């Protein structure tokens, strides 16, 4: 087979304000090569501020979500080239995971299959995660003589109970989809034939909400995790004031009118109609 072009390592389509982005190296189980990492950053950059994209879903072509880092191109070939290439490859990978972690739009990992090691970076970076029951999750690093780097250890410890994270990192055994949900690696595990529909349902709900509110909400959730209560309380006041400025639609006043005056919606039971802008 001829070598895959860099621009083909990721594919995407946009439908009804949802960007469906796919790791596209199915023959290599979507493992992350330097080429894929560079292309993913390009795609994320292209999609992030588009007015027609409100939610980004990250999934994989074929049987894998992502089989982690590419042992040949990311590890062996970078190491052969020298220290500078090792650091360059790491930066290319970590950079797009970081971009995704603080992405302007809401993000969902749709884990359709294998998810190993270096795939925990983007898994954690996505705001929400859904998987198929037959997906498999593994910190397989210990199986080939390295530790779970690139943030993978941190992801396991942040998301899982400590004993479970320790067992997961030390044993190199895989978790099924339902086990990944039980240990908080994903929000939900569903039968494979329902995965796309479930993710679409969630994405469509998110699309209808105020996108700026979602951005400030998700960033707040990530930031306050490492703050004291008092720092978080203060930070959240500043974030709300920031949102008041950033939301040029002034959504909260539009919503207040729809609830208090027009009585067209109840905040406890659903979202306001953001297509109506009257305050
Ligand atoms: N790095 C490099 N190549 C890979 C990787 C990877 N992480 N994963 C799969 N491939 C390649 C295989 O070498 C094979 O290439 P080839 O067709 O040129 O021989 C091709 O993808 C298909 O892989 P198979 O092993 O034949 O696929 P199978 O479906 O039987 O197994 C599985 C899938 C279980 C994912 C297996 O490929 C595997 O164990 N991959 C490695 C998973 C892993 O441990 N990743 C690293 C985690 S640690 C980290 O990311 C830092």
């Amino acid at each position: 087979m001829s070598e895959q072009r860099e621009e083909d390592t990721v594919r995407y389509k946009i439908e009804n304000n949802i960007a469906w982005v796919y790791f596209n190296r199915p023959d290599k189980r979507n493992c992350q090569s330097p080429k894929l990492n560079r292309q993913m950053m390009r795609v994320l950059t292209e999609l992030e501020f588009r007015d027609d994209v409100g939610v980004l879903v990250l999934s994989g072509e074929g049987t894998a979500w992502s089989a982690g880092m590419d042992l040949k191109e990311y590890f062996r070939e970078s190491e052969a080239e020298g220290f500078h290439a090792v650091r360059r490859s790491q930066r290319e990978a970590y950079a797009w995971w970081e971009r995704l972690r603080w992405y302007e739009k809401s993000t969902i990992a749709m884990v359709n299959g294998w998810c190993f090691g270096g795939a925990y970076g983007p898994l954690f970076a996505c705001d929400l995660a859904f998987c198929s029951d037959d997906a498999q999750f593994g910190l397989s690093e210990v199986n080939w003589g390295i530790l779970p780097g690139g943030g993978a250890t941190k992801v396991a410890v942040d998301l899982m109970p400590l004993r479970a994270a320790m067992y997961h990192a030390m044993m190199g055994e895989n978790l099924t989809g339902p086990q990944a949900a039980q240990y908080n690696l994903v929000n939900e595990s569903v039968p494979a034939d329902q995965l796309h529909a479930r993710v679409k349902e969630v994405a469509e709900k998110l699309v209808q909400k105020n996108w700026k509110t979602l951005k400030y909400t998700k960033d707040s959730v990530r930031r306050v995790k490492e703050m004291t209560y008092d720092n978080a309380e203060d930070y959240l006041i500043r974030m709300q004031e920031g949102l008041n400025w950033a939301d040029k639609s002034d959504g909260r006043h539009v919503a207040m009118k729809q609830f208090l005056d027009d009585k067209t919606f109840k905040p406890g039971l659903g979202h306001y109609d953001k297509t109506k802008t009257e305050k």
Side-chain angles (χ1 to χ4, degrees), residues 20 59 109-113 130-133 188-201:
W20 299 87
S59 194
M110 183 170 83
V111 183
N112 53 301
F130 296 81
C131 72
S132 62
D133 290 345
E188 286 172 33
S189 178
V190 297
D193 62 358
Q194 294 170 28
L195 180 63
H196 187 272
R198 176 64 182 134
V199 169
K200 186 162 173 275
E201 180 184 47

Side-chain angles (χ1 to χ4, degrees), residues 152-163:
T153 297
K154 176 74 173 149
V155 172
V157 171
D158 270 8
L159 296 182
M160 304 170 86
L162 188 65
R163 288 279 179 226

Side-chain angles (χ1 to χ4, degrees), residues 26-29 31-32 63-64 67-75 114 116-119 138 140-141 144 146-147 149:
D27 293 346
K28 298 291 178 184
R29 304 301 179 263
C31 63
Q32 296 169 53
T63 56
M69 308 318 290
D70 187 323
L71 270 66
K72 177 170 175 282
E73 295 182 33
Y74 179 87
F75 284 106
W114 305 110
F116 286 108
S140 54
E141 284 87 341
W144 65 282
I146 69 165
L147 58 80

Side-chain angles (χ1 to χ4, degrees), residues 6 33-42 88 92:
E6 188 160 317
S33 61
K35 279 184 190 174
L36 180 144
N37 291 329
R38 288 192 290 270
Q39 185 59 21
M40 190 63 87
M41 183 58 117
R42 279 186 207 106
R88 185 185 62 214
E92 286 168 349

Side-chain angles (χ1 to χ4, degrees), residues 163-177:
R163 288 279 179 226
M166 190 68 89
Y167 187 95
H168 195 48
M170 290 181 70
M171 297 298 285
E173 293 173 1
N174 295 341
L175 298 173
T176 62

